[in-house]
Amino acid sequence: MESVSKSRALTRILDAGIAFAVWLLLCVVLRGFVPMDGGPMVKSVVAAYTAFPIACVFWMATQMFRVTIEDQMQPRRVRVDQS
């Protein structure tokens, strides 16, 4: 039971790290699309503000993907245990 808890904690940390990396990448990419002339700091803040919801949707999609995969693998584990 403890190994499952550690595994879930590690996957949550991994998912958060990947989402953070996506956020950083989006900050860099979206900086060129900011239509304001307020200097580089303003462009960076607006790009970060814009990238945050997109990164959150990416994180939520990875969580839904993990739930779906776990649900699909569950019947296979049950069949193997019953044999």
Side-chain angles (χ1 to χ4, degrees), residues 18-28 47-53 55-56:
I18 292 171
F20 182 72
V22 167
W23 178 75
L24 286 176
L25 177 70
L26 286 170
C27 285
V28 171
Y49 181 75
T50 305
F52 184 73
C56 288

Side-chain angles (χ1 to χ4, degrees), residues 4-26:
V4 172
S5 177
K6 285 183 182 179
S7 174
R8 286 187 180 166
L10 288 176
T11 57
R12 287 180 181 159
I13 291 170
L14 177 67
D15 290 344
I18 292 171
F20 182 72
V22 167
W23 178 75
L24 286 176
L25 177 70
L26 286 170

Side-chain angles (χ1 to χ4, degrees), residues 53-72:
I54 301 169
C56 288
V57 169
F58 175 80
W59 177 80
M60 193 181 325
T62 59
Q63 299 307 305
M64 290 188 303
F65 179 73
R66 286 195 185 277
V67 168
T68 303
I69 290 296
E70 189 174 323
D71 189 49
Q72 287 183 353

